[in-house]
């Protein structure tokens, strides 16, 4: 598939795809005309990359761990670099903090929605913000 199609399928810009390629995160084949040609499943890989970036992981770490995310365990290095392990562990701790924060925020939003819907129901509205009551 061409870069425009991958961009639409994965929901990222063409510019982002070119950046991922520059960073060594994706490696499209090149046609005789020089056009990038992405294999089937590239959209899933791009979504995974996007998700890791949105979680705050730097591309240098994503580049190192990406081959292991869905691959067999025998791909893991025999002697992992201690510095890399420390960096990945720190990133994981940061992800855990974000997950806890997101979970708290989701709980607060859920509580707000319950209270707002109950208030709307009690007021006889039956609908909130143009939406039928669930």
């Amino acid at each position: 598939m061409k870069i425009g199609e991958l961009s639409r399928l994965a929901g990222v810009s063409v510019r982002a795809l070119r950046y991922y390629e520059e960073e060594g995160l994706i490696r499209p084949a090149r046609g005789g005309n020089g056009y990038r040609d992405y294999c089937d499943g590239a959209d899933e890989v791009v979504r995974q990359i996007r998700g890791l970036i949105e979680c705050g992981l730097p591309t240098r770490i994503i580049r190192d761990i990406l081959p292991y995310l869905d691959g067999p365990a025998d791909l893991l290095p025999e002697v992992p670099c201690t510095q890399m392990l420390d960096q990945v562990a720190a990133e994981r701790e940061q992800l855990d903090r974000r997950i806890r924060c997101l979970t708290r925020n989701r709980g607060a939003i859920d509580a707000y929605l319950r209270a707002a819907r109950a208030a709307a129901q009690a007021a006889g509205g039956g609908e909130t913000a143009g939406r039928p009551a669930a």
Side-chain angles (χ1 to χ4, degrees):
M1 88 183 77
K2 301 297 180 242
I3 195 167
E5 183 180 356
L6 178 58
S7 171
R8 284 187 298 281
L9 282 174
V12 299
S13 68
V14 168
R15 183 176 180 209
L17 293 173
R18 288 183 181 129
Y19 173 71
Y20 298 164
E21 183 180 353
E22 287 172 15
E23 291 295 309
L25 302 175
I26 56 176
R27 292 179 187 87
R30 293 282 183 157
N33 56 7
Y35 288 5
R36 292 167 177 88
D37 188 22
Y38 297 91
C39 63
D40 291 339
D43 56 318
E44 289 298 322
V45 172
V46 169
R47 280 191 211 97
Q48 190 168 37
I49 291 167
R50 185 78 232 146
L52 292 168
I53 288 172
E54 288 173 356
C55 287
L57 265 71
T59 55
R60 65 183 165 71
I61 289 180
I62 295 171
R63 181 178 42 252
D64 290 341
I65 67 171
L66 194 60
Y68 308 116
L69 294 179
D70 293 323
D74 62 346
L75 287 176
L76 293 172
E78 287 184 32
V79 182
C81 168
T82 304
Q83 182 182 2
M84 178 64 171
L85 289 174
D86 292 344
Q87 289 174 350
V88 173
E91 291 295 335
R92 186 183 187 289
E93 288 173 21
Q94 188 173 2
L95 282 174
D96 285 341
R97 286 191 298 274
R98 287 183 180 145
I99 289 168
R100 285 191 299 274
C101 181
L102 287 170
T103 301
R104 280 192 309 271
N105 291 344
R106 183 184 60 202
I109 289 170
D110 287 346
Y112 167 81
L113 287 172
R114 282 191 303 275
R117 287 179 176 149
Q121 196 97 31
E127 291 188 14
T128 54
R131 288 185 35 238

